[in-house]
Amino acid sequence: IFLLSKASSDLFPVKIIAYKKRLILAPNTSPIVNPIQNIEIIPANGAYLAFDSFSVNSESGQADYGQSFTIDLTINNIGNQTASNVQVRLLSTSPYVDILEGETTIPSIGALGHYTIEDVFCIKVADFVDDGTQAEFILDCYDGTYAWASNFRMTLHAPKMVLADFRPLANVNPGQNGTLVVSVRNMG
């Protein structure tokens, strides 16, 4: 990949380094054959905040139907400067989750550092959701000057009942009452 210098009309080679679905440009001396279009470029100077990971704080350790729980969420600063007084907001586009508490402030995240927000964001999963549904979230960060947005998904869990077996306890003739034993299995 070649970039055009703002100071002159010279082209100079760069290599792309992938980090958490973001691309970073660095000097490169090897030739690049195929151009790439529509890529996000991380600035060479400044902070750049990106979602890293989350964990669910519930008894089962997962996002179960009908439950409210908090999450621990880690944000990385992959930039070369500290980000200070960062307003963080958690949003969701999923109809199966409600965010009960979705805002906090991070005092600072150093260059190439990370910050874990513990037990702040509170989420409620709907009572009726299919097992394995992917809920999409947006993490917005803003330091008063710059804004960063990251997306992530959370798997929602619910029972998935299937009929395993059924049989009468005795022979039943037409018009008679009888007892039927039904076995179900939770595959969720």
Side-chain angles (χ1 to χ4, degrees), residues 14-116:
V14 294
K15 65 181 174 180
I16 297 177
I17 301 168
Y19 179 81
K20 300 287 181 185
K21 297 183 182 177
R22 303 279 190 231
L23 301 175
I24 301 170
L25 297 180
N28 186 18
T29 56
S30 62
I32 306 295
V33 178
N34 297 322
I36 299 174
Q37 298 178 3
N38 300 322
I39 60 173
E40 182 176 355
I41 306 296
I42 296 173
N45 288 312
Y48 195 95
L49 304 184
F51 167 82
D52 181 67
S53 63
F54 74 91
S55 61
V56 174
N57 299 321
S58 70
E59 189 174 313
S60 67
Q62 60 187 24
D64 291 328
Y65 76 104
Q67 289 187 348
S68 296
F69 51 85
T70 62
I71 62 171
D72 294 344
L73 192 140
T74 301
I75 298 172
N76 281 341
N77 179 358
I78 58 177
N80 64 358
Q81 293 179 4
T82 297
S84 299
N85 297 320
V86 179
Q87 302 299 312
V88 181
R89 191 169 55 156
L90 183 65
L91 307 163
S92 179
T93 58
S94 173
Y96 301 108
V97 297
D98 287 322
I99 298 177
L100 305 177
E101 181 60 47
E103 295 184 10
T104 192
T105 300
I106 298 173
S108 70
I109 305 176
L112 300 177
H114 66 276
Y115 188 93
T116 300

Side-chain angles (χ1 to χ4, degrees), residues 116-169:
T116 300
I117 302 166
E118 297 178 342
D119 282 328
V120 172
F121 298 125
C122 187
I123 298 167
K124 173 155 181 19
V125 178
D127 292 332
F128 302 102
V129 61
D130 289 336
D131 186 53
T133 296
Q134 295 290 305
E136 294 187 27
F137 290 87
I138 302 163
L139 182 68
D140 279 337
C141 300
Y142 178 67
D143 71 354
T145 304
Y146 300 103
W148 306 274
S150 299
N151 299 315
F152 67 95
R153 291 179 180 203
M154 178 184 295
T155 302
L156 307 180
H157 298 276
K160 184 176 182 180
M161 307 305 281
V162 294
L163 181 63
D165 186 30
F166 67 94
R167 60 183 173 5
L169 277 181

